[in-house]
Amino acid sequence: MTPRGILWDWDNTLVDGWLAIAAGLNAAFDRFGLPRWTLEEVRGRVRRSLRETFPEMFGENWEEARDLFYAEVRARHLAVLTPMPGAGEAVAAIAAMGLPQGVISNKQGPLLRAEAAHLGWAPRFRILVGAGDAAVDKPDPAPFRMALPALGLPAGSVWYVGDTALDMEAARRAGCTAVLLGDAAHDGGPAAAAPDLAFPDASALTAYLRGDRRG
C-alpha cells in the first residue's frame, strides 16, 4: 500500500508545540477562575479546534478567552517548537521521493504557517490548511476539499497521517487512508483509533515508504 501523496496532521505528529498551547489555555483559565490543566492533561484533551471547543468551555466569554489564548501562544510558540522524532527527516525524504505533501491541522492557520516557515519546512508542502481556513474544521472533510486539489490527487490515493482517533475519523470521512503515528494512548490505543496503517514514529513510516518504493 503505497500512497501517491501525504497529508499530515501537525501537533504531536510532526511537531511538539504543547508548551505554548498549555500556556495559552492556562492564561484563559486563570482569567476566568477555572482550574489549570497540566501539560499531560493538555496533551490528552486537546483535539478539536478552538472555535468549536471554546464556546463550550467559556460560554459567553469565549471570544475574550480566545484572544487571551492566542496572545500567549503567539508570544512563545516559535521559541518552544520542536520537531517530533524523525519528523524533519520524514518530510525531507518524502519530498525526495517525489510525493506531494500538505498539512491539515486544527491549529489556527496563521500559527501553523508561521511554524512551518520557522522550521524551514514550508517549501516542502503544497498547502498548509489550519483551523479557520475552511468553513468547518476537521474531522469534517471540508479542509480536505481544500488540500487535495493542491496535491492534484484523488482522496483514495492519499494518506492522512495523524496521532489521534479524531485524525483517523477525519481521514475516513474524507476518503483518505488513515495512518496513525504513535500509540494513541490518550484515545484508548491503536485498536480504538482503528487506523488503516500504524507506525510507532515518523522514522518507521519513512522506512516503510522507502522499502515499498525500492520494491
Side-chain angles (χ1 to χ4, degrees):
M1 183 186 295
T2 305
R4 293 172 59 198
I6 304 280
L7 289 170
W8 300 93
D9 173 48
W10 190 246
D11 286 300
N12 218 46
T13 297
L14 289 178
V15 304
D16 183 342
W18 290 111
L19 286 172
I21 294 168
L25 283 169
N26 285 325
F29 292 152
D30 289 348
R31 169 66 179 84
F32 295 104
L34 297 172
R36 283 180 155 239
W37 289 0
T38 66
L39 183 60
E40 188 66 14
E41 287 173 319
V42 173
R43 290 178 186 272
R45 294 180 181 183
V46 173
R47 294 289 183 272
R48 293 178 295 146
S49 66
L50 181 149
R51 66 174 167 175
E52 292 185 2
T53 57
F54 267 40
E56 299 170 3
M57 296 164 66
F58 296 99
E60 64 182 11
N61 297 311
W62 80 270
E63 290 176 312
E64 183 180 350
R66 173 201 62 197
D67 294 344
L68 288 165
F69 171 84
Y70 280 135
E72 192 70 24
V73 170
R74 289 189 193 101
R76 66 179 69 213
H77 72 123
L78 297 181
V80 302
L81 186 71
T82 57
M84 293 292 287
E89 295 84 352
V91 169
I94 290 167
M97 293 174 194
L99 300 179
Q101 301 177 82
V103 173
I104 297 174
S105 172
N106 274 345
K107 172 167 277 175
Q108 187 192 45
L111 292 174
L112 167 65
R113 289 181 281 275
E115 291 181 0
H118 176 75
L119 293 171
W121 294 357
R124 305 285 192 192
F125 300 120
R126 297 266 184 100
I127 191 168
L128 294 116
V129 180
D133 293 336
V136 188
D137 303 318
K138 71 175 183 179
D140 191 274
F144 290 82
R145 290 194 289 268
M146 291 184 67
L148 288 166
L151 269 58
L153 296 170
S157 67
V158 174
W159 285 8
Y160 183 61
V161 183
D163 68 299
T164 67
L166 182 143
D167 292 327
M168 302 303 97
E169 177 189 350
R172 285 190 291 271
R173 289 177 65 179
C176 296
T177 298
V179 179
L180 181 71
L181 280 196
D183 60 8
H186 294 294
D187 289 339
D196 298 313
L197 290 169
F199 301 93
D201 54 35
S203 297
L205 183 152
T206 305
Y208 175 92
L209 289 175
R210 283 175 167 158
D212 266 11
R213 295 182 73 78
R214 282 196 295 267

